[in-house]
Amino acid sequence: MENTKWALVTGASGGVGKEIAGIMAQKKWNLVLVARSADKLNELASELSQKNGVQIKGCPCDLSKDNAAHEIFDFCESQNIKIDLLINNAGAGLYGASIELGDKALGMLKLNMLALTQMCTVFGKDMAERKSGSILNIGSIAGNQPTPMFASYAASKSYVLNYSIALRHELGAYGVNVTCVQPGYIRTQFDNNCGIVSEKYKKFSYKNGMSAYAVAKVAVKSVFRKRSYVRAGVTNKITAFVSGLIPKNFLAWCISKSMKTLTK
């Protein structure tokens, strides 16, 4: 029987978001795909629709805009679409000394925290009124510890984790589930996009990273099982457990030393 449910995926034009969209389409979910590039969205929508026989709508939007979530919600309303699963995958990273990055960090923080919060608020309210739905937020293992040279990024992902857990308890009373998935290194363009030039670091990242598909598979499984939060990958589970036992000042010192070794 045809699935009449709709999922919305942000950051759907590449990486983990694109892989999540592919998995959801295979599961016969209809999709609203959100990203900045209309061309990439249209190409992906056409490909997944033809391959899986589902309805797919592209919604080009820059999530860093103040009213982006409301624009996306209005688009869904105009198409008579009710979102049953919201997947907040869009995000950005930024590498470098905080005092050197200056205002560059503001755009990243706005996307990673404010845009995600607004999406959860707007769509979560609609789900609560219908007493049905799920939200999947993609965080990062970096959100579990202070990370020099990724200070703002790691802090923003700490927000994603704690916000998601708190929101889960707020919306649970309305029958709405919230799940946060924390991947570690992923074999995408993340390193290049956030400004890392060290080949040594990139090799380390690739060697220890998961594929975007593997992360997407864990993420989808986790939200369907209505988990609270999940660390993707065995290595990341161990890392998160061990880092939780280490005093934060000492942990930050260790990470700082490691970063210097990998990027010099």
Side-chain angles (χ1 to χ4, degrees):
M1 185 171 67
E2 183 182 1
N3 193 344
T4 58
K5 291 189 174 183
W6 286 84
L8 187 154
V9 186
T10 68
S13 60
V16 174
K18 184 177 180 180
E19 297 294 347
I20 288 176
I23 292 172
M24 294 301 296
Q26 288 177 356
K27 292 181 178 293
K28 302 302 181 183
W29 278 65
N30 302 312
L31 298 170
V32 175
L33 305 179
V34 178
R36 287 178 297 179
S37 173
D39 291 340
K40 289 182 179 180
L41 285 182
N42 292 334
E43 181 180 348
L44 180 60
S46 177
E47 175 190 336
L48 293 180
S49 180
Q50 291 178 17
K51 184 177 179 180
N52 299 284
V54 294
Q55 298 182 65
I56 301 182
K57 305 287 186 179
C59 179
C61 184
D62 182 353
L63 279 165
S64 65
K65 295 191 301 183
D66 289 341
N67 293 314
H70 293 284
E71 289 183 17
I72 296 168
F73 184 81
D74 290 344
F75 169 83
C76 293
E77 288 287 291
S78 71
Q79 301 291 317
N80 294 316
I81 294 172
K82 290 294 184 182
I83 299 301
D84 302 286
L85 171 56
L86 168 65
I87 302 169
N88 285 310
N89 165 74
L94 196 59
Y95 168 83
S98 296
I99 59 173
E100 300 296 333
L101 293 174
D103 290 344
K104 289 181 181 179
L106 299 182
M108 178 201 66
L109 295 174
K110 188 172 184 180
L111 177 61
N112 290 3
M113 297 190 296
L114 300 186
L116 178 142
T117 301
Q118 192 179 49
M119 290 291 288
C120 287
T121 300
V122 172
F123 285 92
K125 185 175 187 294
D126 183 64
M127 291 177 183
E129 290 173 352
R130 290 184 283 127
K131 291 183 167 45
S132 176
S134 282
I135 297 172
L136 169 62
N137 292 329
I138 304 298
S140 169
I141 208 75
N144 296 314
Q145 65 267 327
T147 308
M149 305 304 286
F150 276 108
S152 296
Y153 170 74
S156 73
K157 291 302 184 177
S158 177
Y159 173 89
V160 172
L161 174 63
N162 288 292
Y163 174 74
S164 298
I165 294 173
L167 186 66
R168 175 184 177 87
H169 286 270
E170 291 180 8
L171 294 182
Y174 300 95
V176 178
N177 170 65
V178 180
T179 297
C180 180
V181 170
Q182 294 183 298
Y185 295 109
I186 311 175
R187 293 169 184 164
T188 62
Q189 290 299 308
F190 178 85
D191 291 347
N192 292 327
N193 292 339
C194 70
I196 292 177
V197 297
S198 169
E199 291 302 321
K200 186 176 182 180
Y201 182 97
K202 291 178 184 179
K203 288 179 181 179
F204 177 86
S205 173
Y206 185 87
K207 180 180 179 181
N208 291 278
M210 297 173 65
S211 69
Y213 175 76
V215 173
K217 193 174 179 180
V218 170
V220 171
K221 181 188 291 186
S222 299
V223 73
F224 281 161
R225 290 183 175 180
K226 297 185 177 181
R227 299 285 298 278
S228 175
Y229 64 95
V230 173
R231 279 77 184 250
V234 175
T235 301
N236 291 322
K237 293 180 190 297
I238 295 171
T239 299
F241 175 77
V242 172
S243 65
L245 302 176
I246 302 173
K248 290 193 180 296
N249 277 317
F250 181 65
L251 182 60
W253 180 85
C254 292
I255 294 172
S256 179
K257 286 289 186 182
S258 176
M259 292 296 294
K260 287 177 181 177
T261 301
L262 288 171
T263 58
K264 70 178 180 181

